[in-house]
PDB file of all heavy atoms in Angstrom:
ATOM      1  N   ALA A 483     114.443 180.643 134.478  1.00 74.00           N
ATOM      2  CA  ALA A 483     115.709 180.604 135.022  1.00 74.00           C
ATOM      3  C   ALA A 483     116.083 179.259 135.516  1.00 74.00           C
ATOM      4  O   ALA A 483     116.538 179.012 136.706  1.00 74.00           O
ATOM      5  CB  ALA A 483     115.810 181.673 136.156  1.00 74.00           C
ATOM      6  N   ALA A 484     115.838 178.275 134.657  1.00 68.00           N
ATOM      7  CA  ALA A 484     116.101 176.874 135.060  1.00 68.00           C
ATOM      8  C   ALA A 484     117.642 176.706 135.320  1.00 68.00           C
ATOM      9  O   ALA A 484     118.521 177.310 134.677  1.00 68.00           O
ATOM     10  CB  ALA A 484     115.749 175.940 133.945  1.00 68.00           C
ATOM     11  N   GLY A 485     117.912 175.926 136.386  1.00 69.00           N
ATOM     12  CA  GLY A 485     119.286 175.716 136.706  1.00 69.00           C
ATOM     13  C   GLY A 485     119.731 176.562 137.879  1.00 69.00           C
ATOM     14  O   GLY A 485     120.905 176.444 138.252  1.00 69.00           O
ATOM     15  N   THR A 486     118.918 177.526 138.301  1.00 81.00           N
ATOM     16  CA  THR A 486     119.273 178.262 139.430  1.00 81.00           C
ATOM     17  C   THR A 486     118.306 177.974 140.597  1.00 81.00           C
ATOM     18  O   THR A 486     117.425 177.255 140.525  1.00 81.00           O
ATOM     19  CB  THR A 486     119.099 179.747 139.109  1.00 81.00           C
ATOM     20  OG1 THR A 486     117.662 180.040 138.875  1.00 81.00           O
ATOM     21  CG2 THR A 486     119.891 180.159 137.903  1.00 81.00           C
ATOM     22  N   GLY A 487     118.636 178.595 141.797  1.00 85.00           N
ATOM     23  CA  GLY A 487     117.801 178.483 142.884  1.00 85.00           C
ATOM     24  C   GLY A 487     117.155 179.750 143.283  1.00 85.00           C
ATOM     25  O   GLY A 487     117.403 180.810 142.609  1.00 85.00           O
ATOM     26  N   ASP A 506     119.490 183.946 140.955  1.00 79.00           N
ATOM     27  CA  ASP A 506     120.728 184.403 140.254  1.00 79.00           C
ATOM     28  C   ASP A 506     120.634 184.079 138.689  1.00 79.00           C
ATOM     29  O   ASP A 506     119.703 183.596 138.245  1.00 79.00           O
ATOM     30  CB  ASP A 506     121.919 183.578 140.777  1.00 79.00           C
ATOM     31  CG  ASP A 506     122.077 183.832 142.283  1.00 79.00           C
ATOM     32  OD1 ASP A 506     121.823 185.096 142.704  1.00 79.00           O
ATOM     33  OD2 ASP A 506     122.519 183.041 143.057  1.00 79.00           O
ATOM     34  N   ARG A 507     121.674 184.621 138.044  1.00 72.00           N
ATOM     35  CA  ARG A 507     121.734 184.369 136.562  1.00 72.00           C
ATOM     36  C   ARG A 507     121.840 182.837 136.317  1.00 72.00           C
ATOM     37  O   ARG A 507     122.610 182.189 137.006  1.00 72.00           O
ATOM     38  CB  ARG A 507     122.907 185.047 136.008  1.00 72.00           C
ATOM     39  CG  ARG A 507     123.039 184.986 134.490  1.00 72.00           C
ATOM     40  CD  ARG A 507     124.378 185.378 133.996  1.00 72.00           C
ATOM     41  NE  ARG A 507     124.667 186.740 134.428  1.00 72.00           N
ATOM     42  CZ  ARG A 507     124.305 187.840 133.739  1.00 72.00           C
ATOM     43  NH1 ARG A 507     123.691 187.724 132.575  1.00 72.00           N
ATOM     44  NH2 ARG A 507     124.610 189.065 134.136  1.00 72.00           N
ATOM     45  N   PRO A 508     121.141 182.259 135.341  1.00 67.00           N
ATOM     46  CA  PRO A 508     121.185 180.838 135.034  1.00 67.00           C
ATOM     47  C   PRO A 508     122.612 180.508 134.587  1.00 67.00           C
ATOM     48  O   PRO A 508     123.277 181.280 133.849  1.00 67.00           O
ATOM     49  CB  PRO A 508     120.257 180.643 133.941  1.00 67.00           C
ATOM     50  CG  PRO A 508     119.240 181.858 134.044  1.00 67.00           C
ATOM     51  CD  PRO A 508     120.099 182.909 134.601  1.00 67.00           C
ATOM     52  N   ALA A 509     123.080 179.410 135.178  1.00 58.00           N
ATOM     53  CA  ALA A 509     124.582 178.889 134.843  1.00 58.00           C
ATOM     54  C   ALA A 509     124.603 178.496 133.394  1.00 58.00           C
ATOM     55  O   ALA A 509     125.588 178.449 132.762  1.00 58.00           O
ATOM     56  CB  ALA A 509     124.906 177.870 135.784  1.00 58.00           C
ATOM     57  N   CYS A 510     123.528 177.831 132.848  1.00 52.00           N
ATOM     58  CA  CYS A 510     123.462 177.335 131.532  1.00 52.00           C
ATOM     59  C   CYS A 510     122.064 177.419 130.998  1.00 52.00           C
ATOM     60  O   CYS A 510     121.145 177.567 131.691  1.00 52.00           O
ATOM     61  CB  CYS A 510     123.940 175.947 131.461  1.00 52.00           C
ATOM     62  SG  CYS A 510     123.015 174.742 132.461  1.00 52.00           S
ATOM     63  N   ALA A 511     121.888 177.297 129.579  1.00 45.00           N
ATOM     64  CA  ALA A 511     120.642 177.386 129.046  1.00 45.00           C
ATOM     65  C   ALA A 511     119.989 176.000 129.052  1.00 45.00           C
ATOM     66  O   ALA A 511     119.801 175.338 128.044  1.00 45.00           O
ATOM     67  CB  ALA A 511     120.785 177.903 127.567  1.00 45.00           C
ATOM     68  N   ALA A 512     119.622 175.652 130.200  1.00 42.00           N
ATOM     69  CA  ALA A 512     118.912 174.333 130.443  1.00 42.00           C
ATOM     70  C   ALA A 512     117.495 174.456 130.092  1.00 42.00           C
ATOM     71  O   ALA A 512     116.882 175.515 129.996  1.00 42.00           O
ATOM     72  CB  ALA A 512     119.091 173.824 131.846  1.00 42.00           C
TER      73      ALA A 512
END
Side-chain angles (χ1 to χ4, degrees):
T486 66
D506 298 326
R507 184 193 302 273
C510 60

